[in-house]
Amino acid sequence: MRGSRPVCLLCRLRLAKATSKTRAVRWQTQTAQLSTTPPRRDATDAGRAAPASATIPESTPSRPQAPPYLRKFVSPRPRSRPNAHISQTKVAGEQSSSRLDVLFQQIVQEQQDLQDAASTASANASIDLSLVKAIGRLQEMVTTDTSAVDAYLYFRTEVRPAVQKPGTHVPQAYHKIKLALLERLVAAKKANMLSEDLPTVADIFRLYAEAGELKPKQWTMLVGELIQCIVSMDPPTDTQSIGQLDLRKAMLTDLVESWKVLSLPRLAIVPTGENELTNGFWFPRLEKFSLARYATKGDFPVAFSTLFPQYPRNHLGTRVAALAIATYALMHDSKRCSVGVRQNASRFMSKVAHLIIFVNYRDNDLRRDLVSTFPGLEEYVMGLWPRIRAYLKQKPADKDEKSTEFYTVSMLADGTGKSAAFDADSIGRRISQTHGTRNSRALDILWEEFVGSEKAISEKRAAQIRQHPELIDSFIKTRMTFNEPAKAIAAWNVLGKVGLRPSLRTWNLMLDGLRKAGNIDGIRNIWAKLAKSGMQLDTAIWTTRIAGLIDCGDIEGGLHALEEMSRLWERGKNKTAVMPTIEPVNAALSGLIRRKRHDAAEKLLAWAGKKGIESDIFTFNTMLRPLIRNGDSKEVEKVFATMQAKGVQADEATFVIVLDASFSKDDARDPEHQASIVADVASAMENAGLELNMKTYGKMIHLLLHSNATAAVMAVVNHLYNRNLELSPHIYTMLVEHFFAQDPPALDSVRLFVQRWRYVDFDDMDRIFYDRVVRGYSLVGETAAALDIYRHVVKAGGMVSISTLEELLRALLRQRRFEEARDMVNFEKKQFEARDLEAEEHARYWGHRFWQLATGYNLLDSELPSFGAPSAGAEANDAAAASQSPDN
């Protein structure tokens, strides 16, 4: 690497700093010939809007039947087995024998029914006489005056292990007896919340969840008792015993775990031993448009219920919301709650904090809700509330929410279990399409087509799935991308059902998904199973593990994992050992830098140097980004000097970091100066031997738009124009979307870009670009411009997405331009009727809201074709015209 190269980059930074000015920023546009003139609205914008009756109402996702949730019970301390001669449970021998006979006959009859219905492996399970006796014994204990503690201990040590054995047929009577036992446990726990012999509240409701019988009302009653018990305990003092402190900590931990149980989605988990995947909070991303109805209205209980889509909202209500606030207060009470417990509840706390601010939960509303539900908690919560309010003002929202990143889990609506034809190639292609369009409902349909029925997969379909295990990996990856961990687990479980084992790629996808979900316990448990699986591990999966631990907040655990990787390799080669490389080091370094643990980052790099692990350009870029943003010139010089000494050349990312730093301040610069900065950085990149192509410039523009550095973006555009280079369709699309999003929209800039693109486009009718332009004009009220672009597209033989057509139609109707609306609707109808597509494609298309709106306004010259009932995946057709097109 030539010595002048790093110096040039440093000069660029110094020059940017030295020439900064203090006057207010003003975007001058002579160089790029663009402006930010406010939009000119059509005169008839105030016209009649489309009636609500003309819009297809949003469908309510069907709620699946609650399947079993399996979770290992961990006893707080070892206990002896119950005495077999408990006097309270003695009954006549004839009565015991009669009960056993009834259970035995029930099992025999149920097995016969299963064998008559289907010849599956589960139907051939043998009758376990010891299980029959154990269930009969449990029934006696539950229905007599045996203590709930002894009955539960017998259930946990004798009955439950037998039930969980693979291939065991469990009679229906077991479930009834189990529920009866749980009712007794709830009553006993309520009467004595401090008992260490009874199971925790969380473990009780895990058993309810496993049976599909978790009721929020019952959960609220017992958790309310738990919280009130914790609050009533005296705050810790120096005179309290270790046992008292441990008891309080255990109860707070139980409270956090109880919220985790309530958040569990109702998903089908087969008893394959992978149940630890369901650990942690399972809150969905908040659905943007539904949540917007509660913004600033103070209705925290209704907004909070959106975190639990698996329950009807009237099953939660004010009582659950009041307990959430009380729990949040306890987590902030440093006198009662330890740091470890608070960290375990961090995801819960971030959601509650976000909703409190989002809905503007007022003090009077909070006091009213507490008094009407749990009056005993009012004094405690309201006493802490001023301090909590001050904390929320300092940290107004958790960065994890990002206010716009909302998403809801859609559930399968069709439970018919009918199997569609199996076409692996087609399924693979369509998974890729849904990945780009984020169409969850279309993915649900594909999943049903792939597995047929999860409850009873036929042997024929199982054989087909075994031939294409990569499709299961694709489903898992896409589900995790969609933030649908429950459905990813359902896909994982199908592997065991069809006789497959997870591949290394499958394990990696699941680990990465758990990392994104912040489920640190899931990462630990999956890694423990993976290490015991005997599979040959690789660098990628070690990297995912290390990144996951650090990203989930366990920094020490991530660094220890990196040391473990090195230690295993040094001991000798085995299937777990992998030679440490710079990739896992970079993963750890990125996490440390994001958390501003620069001291730990320095130690990490020193450790890597001792191990002979050489840094690469990714390492240096990770180090440079925060140093440049913080203006630490001396440290930046050291990094560049180290790069030069090691012969590491800068890449595109390095120069983009420098470019971003040059425009990161609020200092004003004229367009010529901005163009000079861009030219200097581009020249340095060329001198470094980097290829400057449209992809590189696209990365630069994307980064600058993300930072809202509009002036810098226009300098890049001007630089390209001066070099006689034309922007790519992708860059044009990014720019028009950015200018439409300005407040007010920069419509003159949009018009100039569109005009230029129409001039240079020639035969390349880029559908995505024009789709975004039509949609943008429609949304900001520039209906005439939207209609003009639409006509240009269809005249050239192109098309726009059905969702964009809907926005254009609504814009025309708002301005009472009915004739133009009629012409557009009937033209689109004629065009689609002429396409040679499958009947199912037609059915989905005609079921879109666009046609419902057209019908509601009597715009159709003829009736719509009849191709069967509209499918839930109507919006999936949008991908044919424009990937990633949003639907409202």
Side-chain angles (χ1 to χ4, degrees):
M1 183 174 183
R2 289 195 294 264
S4 60
R5 292 171 188 164
V7 177
C8 290
L9 291 177
L10 285 172
C11 291
R12 172 69 268 147
L13 290 171
R14 291 166 179 160
L15 183 61
K17 184 177 180 180
T19 56
S20 60
K21 302 177 184 179
T22 57
R23 56 189 171 87
V25 175
R26 184 173 177 234
W27 181 17
Q28 301 180 15
T29 58
Q30 288 132 354
T31 304
Q33 297 299 312
L34 296 171
S35 70
T36 54
T37 305
R40 294 186 291 273
R41 304 286 183 180
D42 291 358
T44 56
D45 264 0
R48 179 166 65 92
S53 59
T55 303
I56 302 175
E58 293 291 335
S59 59
T60 302
S62 65
R63 301 190 179 277
Q65 294 297 319
Y69 166 72
L70 302 180
R71 173 76 178 269
K72 292 182 180 179
F73 174 85
V74 180
S75 176
R77 59 188 177 91
R79 301 172 184 154
S80 60
R81 292 181 56 176
N83 191 340
H85 302 286
I86 301 174
S87 60
Q88 293 89 340
T89 62
K90 288 183 178 180
V91 293
E94 293 81 359
Q95 186 178 3
S96 301
S97 177
S98 175
R99 285 174 175 159
L100 291 177
D101 289 342
V102 171
L103 288 171
F104 182 81
Q105 292 299 327
Q106 180 182 354
I107 295 174
V108 172
Q109 183 60 48
E110 289 178 5
Q111 284 200 317
Q112 185 61 48
D113 293 342
L114 285 172
Q115 290 173 351
D116 292 342
S119 56
T120 62
S122 61
N124 296 325
S126 60
I127 300 174
D128 189 342
L129 295 180
S130 62
L131 175 60
V132 176
K133 293 180 180 179
I135 294 176
R137 172 71 170 150
L138 179 63
Q139 185 177 20
E140 292 176 14
M141 301 177 78
V142 171
T143 56
T144 60
D145 56 353
T146 303
S147 70
V149 171
D150 289 327
Y152 174 70
L153 188 55
Y154 184 81
F155 164 80
R156 184 172 62 83
T157 58
E158 300 295 333
V159 179
R160 187 168 174 77
V163 169
Q164 290 182 321
K165 289 181 180 179
T168 300
H169 173 69
V170 182
Q172 290 297 322
Y174 163 76
H175 301 286
K176 296 178 182 178
I177 297 169
K178 177 181 175 181
L179 292 177
L181 170 63
L182 290 173
E183 289 179 5
R184 289 197 58 188
L185 289 174
V186 168
K189 191 71 176 177
K190 182 180 179 183
N192 187 2
M193 191 62 68
L194 299 179
S195 172
E196 296 183 21
D197 295 323
L198 289 167
T200 64
V201 174
D203 283 325
I204 291 173
F205 286 103
R206 284 192 188 99
L207 292 172
Y208 269 117
E210 174 188 310
E213 295 292 338
L214 197 161
K215 300 294 192 298
K217 183 177 180 181
Q218 194 176 35
W219 181 95
T220 303
M221 180 272 294
L222 198 56
V223 171
E225 291 288 337
L226 175 62
I227 292 177
Q228 293 182 92
C229 184
I230 296 172
V231 171
S232 65
M233 298 173 71
D234 293 332
T237 63
D238 295 337
T239 60
Q240 285 186 340
S241 66
I242 296 177
Q244 290 174 312
L245 297 175
D246 288 344
L247 177 60
R248 186 197 314 277
K249 182 178 179 181
M251 295 176 71
L252 285 166
T253 300
D254 188 16
L255 174 60
V256 175
E257 294 299 316
S258 297
W259 280 106
K260 290 180 181 180
V261 172
L262 186 66
S263 73
L264 284 172
R266 298 185 177 186
L267 54 114
I269 300 180
V270 295
T272 57
E274 309 300 344
N275 313 300
E276 293 85 351
L277 291 175
T278 55
N279 196 10
F281 289 106
W282 288 80
F283 295 133
R285 288 191 180 182
L286 302 172
E287 202 277 310
K288 179 179 180 181
F289 299 104
S290 296
L291 195 61
R293 292 178 294 180
Y294 316 122
T296 70
K297 295 182 179 179
D299 198 347
F300 176 82
V302 178
F304 184 71
S305 68
T306 60
L307 293 176
F308 304 90
Q310 65 271 42
Y311 301 111
R313 290 183 181 175
N314 59 354
H315 287 193
L316 299 170
T318 306
R319 290 178 64 83
V320 174
L323 293 182
I325 295 295
T327 303
Y328 187 80
L330 275 171
M331 295 299 108
H332 274 279
D333 189 347
S334 57
K335 294 182 179 180
R336 287 180 166 84
C337 185
S338 66
V339 175
V341 174
R342 189 179 301 118
Q343 288 178 344
N344 190 29
S346 58
R347 185 166 175 82
F348 169 85
M349 295 176 69
S350 69
K351 294 289 185 182
V352 173
H354 179 78
L355 289 174
I356 289 173
I357 297 169
F358 190 84
V359 305
N360 190 22
Y361 200 20
R362 302 174 182 86
D363 294 3
N364 290 337
D365 294 335
L366 170 60
R367 187 183 300 275
R368 179 200 64 209
D369 292 342
L370 288 170
V371 171
S372 64
T373 55
F374 297 96
L377 297 176
E378 178 203 357
E379 181 180 356
Y380 173 75
V381 173
M382 298 309 299
L384 288 173
W385 200 244
R387 193 172 71 186
I388 293 174
R389 277 289 189 193
Y391 172 82
L392 292 176
K393 287 182 179 180
Q394 292 175 358
K395 297 183 177 181
D398 190 271
K399 292 182 180 180
D400 181 56
E401 294 296 343
K402 297 182 182 178
S403 70
T404 58
E405 293 188 8
F406 297 92
Y407 198 69
T408 3
V409 175
S410 302
M411 297 298 184
L412 281 169
D414 188 359
T416 60
K418 296 180 180 179
S419 299
F422 189 91
D423 185 344
D425 292 338
S426 174
I427 292 173
R429 287 194 302 271
R430 284 181 286 164
I431 291 175
S432 299
Q433 291 175 356
T434 57
H435 191 280
T437 59
R438 299 190 69 87
N439 192 326
S440 179
R441 283 180 287 180
L443 193 62
D444 288 341
I445 295 172
L446 273 177
W447 176 248
E448 184 178 0
E449 180 180 340
F450 178 65
V451 299
S453 171
E454 290 182 35
K455 295 181 179 179
I457 301 176
S458 67
E459 183 55 37
K460 179 181 178 181
R461 179 51 56 88
Q464 293 170 327
I465 293 174
R466 284 194 293 270
Q467 296 296 319
H468 300 280
E470 74 281 357
L471 292 180
I472 296 183
D473 289 348
S474 296
F475 276 110
I476 292 175
K477 178 181 178 181
T478 307
R479 291 298 190 190
M480 284 301 190
T481 302
F482 286 8
N483 194 32
E484 295 179 332
K487 294 184 179 181
I489 291 174
W492 175 286
N493 290 330
V494 166
L495 288 168
K497 290 182 179 181
V498 300
L500 291 172
R501 293 179 63 85
S503 66
L504 196 60
R505 181 173 183 267
T506 312
W507 287 99
N508 204 355
L509 288 171
M510 188 58 73
L511 275 174
D512 190 55
L514 292 168
R515 176 187 66 83
K516 294 175 181 177
N519 190 341
I520 190 169
D521 291 329
I523 292 173
R524 290 168 178 162
N525 291 324
I526 284 294
W527 184 262
K529 290 182 174 294
L530 178 57
K532 296 177 182 178
S533 67
M535 296 184 69
Q536 176 64 59
L537 306 187
D538 62 8
T539 302
I541 203 159
W542 272 97
T543 302
T544 303
R545 177 203 181 191
I546 293 166
L549 291 172
I550 294 179
D551 288 351
C552 291
D554 187 3
I555 294 175
E556 294 299 322
L559 296 178
H560 286 161
L562 188 58
E563 292 177 350
E564 179 189 358
M565 182 183 185
S566 175
R567 187 170 58 254
L568 289 172
W569 178 255
E570 291 171 357
R571 287 178 180 176
K573 294 184 178 179
N574 57 56
K575 290 189 176 181
T576 306
V578 177
M579 184 177 70
T581 61
I582 194 59
E583 286 80 10
V585 173
N586 285 337
L589 180 65
S590 297
L592 294 173
I593 293 296
R594 282 196 298 272
R595 284 159 179 76
K596 298 182 179 180
R597 291 289 303 273
H598 300 292
D599 55 337
E602 291 178 3
K603 293 179 181 178
L604 171 65
L605 293 176
W607 175 87
K610 292 179 181 178
K611 297 294 181 181
I613 302 173
E614 292 292 336
S615 301
D616 62 7
I617 186 57
F618 185 92
T619 314
F620 289 110
N621 286 342
T622 304
M623 297 164 60
L624 279 171
R625 186 174 286 106
L627 294 175
I628 291 178
R629 283 192 173 276
N630 294 335
D632 195 341
S633 302
K634 291 184 179 179
E635 291 300 319
V636 170
E637 289 184 25
K638 290 181 181 179
V639 172
F640 276 119
T642 304
M643 288 175 60
Q644 181 182 6
K646 291 182 175 292
V648 178
Q649 291 191 353
D651 65 357
E652 295 95 335
T654 314
F655 290 94
V656 170
I657 291 170
V658 174
L659 181 64
D660 180 48
S662 300
F663 292 94
S664 61
K665 307 297 181 182
D666 292 332
D667 307 315
R669 298 182 180 89
D670 55 47
E672 287 76 16
H673 186 205
Q674 295 170 8
S676 174
I677 292 174
V678 174
D680 288 348
V681 174
S683 177
M685 293 175 72
E686 290 178 337
N687 291 336
L690 296 174
E691 180 183 357
L692 281 175
N693 51 34
M694 209 49 60
K695 183 177 180 180
T696 304
Y697 284 114
K699 290 180 181 179
M700 296 168 64
I701 290 175
H702 173 77
L703 179 104
L704 295 171
L705 288 176
H706 185 71
S707 302
N708 202 32
T710 306
V713 169
M714 297 315 302
V716 176
V717 171
N718 181 67
H719 172 75
L720 289 171
Y721 285 163
N722 289 340
R723 292 168 60 89
N724 198 30
L725 296 173
E726 189 50 57
L727 308 182
S728 67
H730 176 61
I731 293 178
Y732 269 107
T733 304
M734 286 193 295
L735 290 171
V736 296
E737 287 184 316
H738 173 75
F739 290 124
F740 273 129
Q742 299 301 296
D743 187 14
L747 294 181
D748 283 349
S749 298
V750 172
R751 290 189 181 96
L752 286 171
F753 274 121
V754 172
Q755 182 180 0
R756 182 178 179 88
W757 182 247
R758 289 178 69 168
Y759 177 78
V760 302
D761 192 12
F762 301 116
D763 297 328
D764 182 17
M765 178 61 66
D766 189 83
R767 293 179 294 181
I768 297 177
F769 170 76
Y770 282 114
D771 186 88
R772 298 305 193 272
V773 172
V774 174
R775 184 180 185 85
Y777 274 139
S778 299
L779 290 173
V780 301
E782 292 287 318
T783 309
L787 192 60
D788 175 65
I789 298 298
Y790 164 75
R791 288 169 174 165
H792 169 72
V793 172
V794 297
K795 183 179 180 181
M799 58 182 293
V800 296
S801 67
I802 188 71
S803 60
T804 295
L805 288 174
E806 181 189 353
E807 295 299 342
L808 177 56
L809 178 58
R810 290 185 184 279
L812 290 169
L813 294 174
R814 279 194 296 268
Q815 298 184 6
R816 307 180 68 83
R817 302 170 73 157
F818 297 114
E819 289 305 315
E820 291 161 305
R822 181 184 300 277
D823 292 340
M824 181 189 72
V825 166
N826 288 285
F827 174 82
E828 290 295 330
K829 178 175 179 291
K830 181 180 179 181
Q831 289 293 104
F832 199 84
E833 284 175 336
R835 297 178 64 184
D836 185 18
L837 297 173
E838 296 292 335
E840 184 180 356
E841 282 291 317
H842 278 274
R844 288 201 295 269
Y845 183 78
W846 301 120
H848 196 275
R849 291 184 296 254
F850 173 78
W851 299 110
Q852 301 295 325
L853 190 61
T855 302
Y857 275 89
N858 297 318
L859 298 177
L860 293 165
D861 293 339
S862 58
E863 293 184 359
L864 291 175
S866 177
F867 284 92
S871 167
E875 290 84 353
N877 186 69
D878 290 357
S883 62
Q884 301 179 356
S885 180
D887 290 306
N888 296 328

